[in-house]
Amino acid sequence: MKYLFFEKITYNSKLNIEEVYGILYEYIEENIGIYEETSKPFIGKIEGNTFSITKTDNSWSKSTQTQIDGIISENIDGSYIVVKMRPNTVFIFISLFFLGYFIKNIIYKENFYLSLISICFLLITELFSFNYQSKKLKKQLQEIFKANIITE
């Protein structure tokens, strides 16, 4: 299921649940801050049968990285991994702040066209950024979990 700034994907992996947890622990660096460097490709946490991760690339753009939340469940042939992708919460708050500022300018007719162009630029930039990152992450997670995508 895919919306503008949200994507839900279900993976079917031949790996059993313990192997999926092993892979997650191998690829996720837990208990570090978003701006600390790590050699692992993801930072986040694993709690029970859920995980919440963000891709690391050791650059300034970590606040714009896609947030990935997942639930792992067992099935007859292995496991299901249901993943929800969305923009990072920090970026959403920053975007809402600027969106409010631009709307205020439009209502009070201050820099109307500049504000309108800025809103469009902000939304289009985030949409392309999210779509680009989610496509890359979808393939990467499919390879990591050795899984097939059941639903998008």
Side-chain angles (χ1 to χ4, degrees):
M1 185 182 308
K2 185 170 183 170
Y3 299 101
L4 280 179
F5 296 107
F6 175 81
E7 191 166 358
K8 183 178 178 182
I9 306 159
T10 303
Y11 295 97
N12 183 16
S13 178
K14 298 286 184 194
L15 303 173
N16 64 36
I17 235 169
E18 289 80 22
E19 291 172 316
V20 172
Y21 283 124
I23 287 172
L24 283 174
Y25 283 113
E26 181 182 330
Y27 281 87
I28 297 173
E29 182 74 46
E30 293 189 90
N31 301 322
I32 68 166
I34 194 166
Y35 293 104
E36 294 180 41
E37 291 194 20
T38 179
S39 61
K40 294 188 178 183
F42 297 98
I43 59 172
K45 61 184 175 182
I46 303 167
E47 294 179 345
N49 68 335
T50 65
F51 61 92
S52 181
I53 57 176
T54 302
K55 177 83 170 125
T56 61
D57 63 1
N58 297 320
S59 73
W60 63 272
S61 65
K62 286 187 183 159
S63 63
T64 64
Q65 293 293 328
T66 301
Q67 178 69 35
I68 304 165
D69 298 314
I71 300 172
I72 305 163
S73 60
E74 214 168 350
N75 73 8
I76 297 170
D77 297 333
S79 56
Y80 288 123
I81 302 110
V82 179
V83 172
K84 295 178 185 175
M85 294 186 200
R86 62 176 170 76
N88 190 297
T89 307
V90 172
F91 193 78
I92 291 171
F93 283 126
I94 290 169
S95 298
L96 287 174
F97 171 77
F98 281 109
L99 188 63
Y101 175 75
F102 298 141
I103 290 173
K104 178 200 76 92
N105 284 347
I106 290 171
I107 290 171
Y108 292 111
K109 298 185 182 5
E110 300 171 4
N111 302 321
F112 177 80
Y113 292 110
L114 179 63
S115 295
L116 192 60
I117 290 169
S118 298
I119 287 173
C120 292
F121 179 75
L122 177 73
L123 293 175
I124 289 170
T125 302
E126 175 57 21
L127 180 62
F128 282 123
S129 173
F130 175 74
N131 283 335
Y132 175 74
Q133 289 179 21
S134 70
K135 282 180 186 176
K136 283 185 7 182
L137 289 169
K138 188 184 337 178
K139 288 179 184 175
Q140 186 175 13
L141 290 173
Q142 186 175 9
E143 291 170 7
I144 288 171
F145 294 131
K146 299 173 180 78
N148 297 321
I149 296 175
I150 297 175
T151 58
E152 289 186 62

